[in-house]
Amino acid sequence: MPKIRSAKTTTSAKATTSAKATTPSSFSFYYHDSPAWQILTWSEDVGILKWMLYIIVLFSLFIRCCIALWGYSGYDTPPKYGDYEAQRHWMELTLHVPIEQWYYYDLDWWGLDYPPLTAYVSWICGKIGSAIEPKWFTLDESRGHESPDSKVFMRMTVLASEYIIYIPAVYVFVKWYYKKSTQKERLLYFFLIVMQPSLILIDHGHFQYNSIMLGLTIWAINCYFYGYYVIGSMFFCLALCFKQMALYYALPVFFYLLGICARDKNVGLNLFLKLAITVIVTVGILFFPFLGSVSDLQQALIRIFPLYRGLWEDKVANFWCALNVIVKLREIFQIHVLAKISLLTTLLFSSFPSYVTFCLSYYSHQPSLSLCTLSAVSMAFFLFSFQVHEKSILLPLMPITLLIGDEGWKMSKMVVWVNSVGLFSLYPLLKKDGLTIPYFVLFGLYNWFFSSSLSSTLFFRSTAFTTFSSSKLSVIAAMLPLSTYMPITLFHLLELFLPPPQRYPDAYVVGNVVFCAGWFGMIYLGLVKWNLETLKQLERERVTDTKKVD
């Protein structure tokens, strides 16, 4: 006869089981009293956790719609307007101008300067919009058109593209990358990623379609994880042919695939040829209309890579712009010299993470594209490459944010902080667009939702900073976020109550550039140090495997 446990024993066992089921992992415990975690815990208690995915998606949609009610780049600022007019004009252009003339037509009025996939998406959106109201996209006559109904349509194109490409890509990523986490933890990670404030404000405030490029890149990462290397490469080529800034990810992707091909000599050459054909065919199809003559292709490439614009245009929080405060680079060097210096510097600072990427894919038992090497290289490109825009910070922020739940990544607890620095670097641009209030609201909302307490928001825990410091410097390292949030607060207070000196009208913008560039440099060094530790760990595993074989 089976032994019957007492009621007390049964109750105790149930309590233990319940405790195990609800206790978060060591990483999630870091967020155990954050509002986001408390909401998910409450939903689990009342039995609606399975519905929280849909609630999170709807809430993120609500936030995006609220941001879309504000201004955008160039709102009511003739004669040139801004990025909103550029995107609208490309829809107009692709509808009415022969395809071979797309990169030639009226370059003074927001000439097309993105790869062909952007133009094709603009054509599709223009087709749909012109079917609703043709006057929105009448050639030349619709320039500067800002009617309320057309603005609703334009905003909807951004929302639709994000929820068709980016949001599903993030969901699939979280589902496989954090498959060992609990459902509640995965919902937390998904919530944090889709609420990334910089992407929301740039795409739905300033007005762009960065989520398409980022979404295609995440789909490529998803495919690589499952071993669909050819399909993943096709997705990455689509990302490159949508926005050329996806080149920030090109080196890690290349060395990852090279390592995959090199590790298995029997099928490696075959896979390499398949990948090469995939890249050539995908890019060739997208560029096919411009291959009719050398001049057409050359014009497209000149527009896509505008070296004539100089090292940078607007002030951006990268190394060159910050250095220019002391050394007037553009006065000392010609453009072609700066381009070569920038190229060599970018390759230099990208070389070690790229090497680590190759080693991981060649020697690891279960190789996958390292998000940390992807973060390091894209941050190096942001800091040192040619013609960087403020909005390009979105590229390193994407892989960094995806690592939010990775307990093996020592900087994972700093993801909210890194996103806050990235958002602050965009403040001058957002202020210009009239998005100051949305900036402050999302800055506060993001930190409140995903920070466990005020103390951890300001100080964080010293364990989060082991990437930057040894144990002897842990106290100093623990103060790093304090030395970030306090200056940011002081910056905004001074700007509000103290006008800049007449002699230096851009003093606050320059201060923002120098401050953020310094922190981005620190983040890059932290990423490189993590890559070094990963390489050492990989070498230890190889030594252990060799001893087992012997």
Side-chain angles (χ1 to χ4, degrees):
M1 180 180 291
K3 185 181 292 185
I4 300 174
R5 293 180 295 177
S6 65
K8 183 177 180 180
T9 304
T10 304
T11 304
S12 176
K14 287 182 178 180
T16 303
T17 304
S18 177
K20 288 181 180 179
T22 58
T23 300
S25 67
S26 60
F27 172 77
S28 294
F29 187 76
Y30 181 77
Y31 289 98
H32 77 285
D33 62 342
S34 69
W37 184 260
Q38 290 178 8
I39 291 170
L40 292 171
T41 301
W42 169 82
S43 69
E44 186 179 40
D45 292 340
V46 299
I48 62 169
L49 186 65
K50 62 182 179 181
W51 299 105
M52 286 306 294
L53 174 65
Y54 306 104
I55 294 172
I56 290 171
V57 170
L58 289 175
F59 178 76
S60 65
L61 177 63
F62 170 74
I63 294 295
R64 284 160 168 78
C65 290
C66 289
I67 298 299
L69 294 174
W70 289 78
Y72 45 79
S73 174
Y75 171 67
D76 196 26
T77 54
K80 288 285 288 184
Y81 299 93
D83 275 14
Y84 175 90
E85 170 58 20
Q87 301 288 345
R88 190 213 60 79
H89 174 62
W90 294 346
M91 296 178 191
E92 161 200 333
L93 181 155
T94 53
L95 274 175
H96 301 290
V97 176
I99 192 168
E100 63 273 9
Q101 293 296 315
W102 283 359
Y103 286 100
Y104 291 96
Y105 187 77
D106 201 356
L107 300 182
D108 292 333
W109 186 270
W110 299 112
L112 183 62
D113 56 5
Y114 279 163
L117 187 55
T118 291
Y120 302 146
V121 171
S122 297
W123 178 81
I124 293 171
C125 293
K127 273 289 186 182
I128 298 171
S130 61
I132 300 171
E133 178 52 71
K135 70 179 182 181
W136 295 345
F137 304 109
T138 306
L139 187 62
D140 297 337
E141 297 179 7
S142 61
R143 292 183 178 181
H145 189 89
E146 293 183 309
S147 65
D149 50 355
S150 68
K151 286 189 283 188
V152 169
F153 170 77
M154 293 289 287
R155 293 293 196 187
M156 287 301 297
T157 61
V158 181
L159 279 169
S161 60
E162 183 169 18
Y163 278 80
I164 291 171
I165 299 175
Y166 179 77
I167 299 296
V170 171
Y171 171 75
V172 172
F173 171 84
V174 171
K175 190 173 181 179
W176 69 254
Y177 196 85
Y178 299 113
K179 59 184 176 182
K180 295 182 180 179
S181 301
T182 65
Q183 181 185 9
K184 187 164 63 171
E185 289 170 344
R186 289 196 298 269
L187 286 170
L188 176 69
Y189 307 149
F190 177 78
F191 190 18
L192 188 144
I193 295 168
V194 299
M195 285 296 294
Q196 187 193 33
S198 297
L199 180 59
I200 294 175
L201 284 167
I202 291 298
D203 274 20
H204 302 280
H206 176 83
F207 198 92
Q208 282 204 336
Y209 296 87
N210 294 289
S211 60
I212 296 179
M213 172 195 62
L214 297 176
L216 291 170
T217 303
I218 297 174
W219 275 119
I221 295 170
N222 294 339
C223 290
Y224 292 147
F225 176 81
Y226 284 109
Y228 299 127
Y229 304 116
V230 172
I231 299 176
S233 298
M234 183 192 69
F235 273 117
F236 186 66
C237 287
L238 292 175
L240 280 170
C241 290
F242 187 82
K243 282 198 173 185
Q244 61 270 37
M245 283 81 77
L247 282 169
Y248 283 33
Y249 305 134
L251 286 177
V253 169
F254 172 78
F255 282 102
Y256 164 74
L257 294 173
L258 185 64
I260 294 294
C261 293
R263 67 182 285 144
D264 192 339
K265 296 179 180 179
N266 295 325
V267 299
L269 180 59
N270 185 39
L271 177 60
F272 182 83
L273 292 175
K274 286 182 179 179
L275 293 173
I277 293 171
T278 300
V279 172
I280 293 171
V281 170
T282 305
V283 175
I285 290 173
L286 293 172
F287 275 87
F288 181 76
F290 312 101
L291 299 179
S293 68
V294 175
S295 60
D296 288 348
L297 180 61
Q298 184 180 22
Q299 176 67 11
L301 294 176
I302 289 173
R303 294 296 300 166
I304 294 169
F305 300 103
L307 296 180
Y308 61 89
R309 293 183 182 177
L311 192 57
W312 71 86
E313 287 183 89
D314 293 332
K315 293 180 175 63
V316 56
N318 75 346
F319 175 78
W320 304 120
C321 195
L323 179 63
N324 193 70
V325 175
I326 303 173
V327 181
K328 303 303 178 183
L329 297 170
R330 292 187 289 191
E331 296 177 7
I332 299 174
F333 301 102
Q334 295 181 348
I335 290 179
H336 69 278
V337 176
L338 288 174
K340 292 177 181 177
I341 294 173
S342 174
L343 175 63
L344 292 174
T345 308
T346 304
L347 292 176
L348 174 65
F349 283 92
S350 301
S351 58
F352 178 68
S354 298
Y355 170 71
V356 175
T357 304
F358 176 82
C359 292
L360 287 172
S361 62
Y362 185 77
Y363 293 113
S364 294
H365 298 297
Q366 294 180 325
S368 61
L369 181 58
S370 170
L371 292 175
C372 194
T373 58
L374 204 65
S375 303
V377 173
S378 55
M379 185 62 79
F381 267 74
F382 177 81
L383 286 169
F384 301 107
S385 61
F386 196 86
Q387 190 52 218
V388 174
H389 293 272
E390 310 98 309
K391 302 175 284 285
S392 299
I393 191 59
L394 295 174
L395 285 104
L397 286 182
M398 185 272 283
I400 289 174
T401 306
L402 293 181
L403 282 164
I404 181 64
D406 192 331
E407 296 185 52
W409 189 56
K410 294 182 178 180
M411 289 177 63
S412 57
K413 297 180 179 68
M414 298 172 62
V415 167
V416 173
W417 170 75
V418 173
N419 271 292
S420 297
V421 177
L423 180 57
F424 179 61
S425 73
L426 293 169
Y427 175 72
L429 174 67
L430 297 172
K431 181 184 177 183
K432 189 190 304 182
D433 295 339
L435 296 167
T436 302
I437 293 178
Y439 160 83
F440 282 115
V441 171
L442 274 189
F443 193 109
L445 186 66
Y446 194 73
N447 278 273
W448 175 75
F449 253 128
F450 303 108
S451 295
S452 57
S453 63
L454 178 61
S455 61
S456 60
T457 299
L458 296 178
F459 294 93
F460 281 64
R461 300 173 186 178
S462 59
T463 54
F465 295 88
T466 52
T467 302
F468 291 109
S469 64
S470 64
S471 57
K472 296 180 181 179
L473 299 177
S474 60
V475 175
I476 298 175
M479 296 294 291
L480 289 179
L482 179 63
S483 62
T484 306
Y485 285 97
M486 291 297 288
I488 288 175
T489 303
L490 181 61
F491 173 92
H492 289 307
L493 289 175
L494 288 174
E495 187 188 45
L496 180 62
F497 295 107
L498 185 65
Q502 292 184 353
R503 186 178 177 182
Y504 304 105
D506 294 332
Y508 287 122
V509 178
V510 172
N512 181 295
V513 165
V514 174
F515 178 82
C516 293
W519 278 116
F520 291 147
M522 288 291 291
I523 293 167
Y524 168 79
L525 293 176
L527 291 165
V528 169
K529 188 173 188 295
W530 186 93
N531 277 275
L532 180 60
E533 292 176 357
T534 302
L535 193 62
K536 290 179 179 178
Q537 178 62 29
L538 183 63
E539 184 61 30
R540 286 193 292 267
E541 292 176 358
R542 289 181 60 203
V543 172
T544 302
D545 292 341
T546 303
K547 289 181 179 179
K548 287 181 180 179
V549 172
D550 294 338

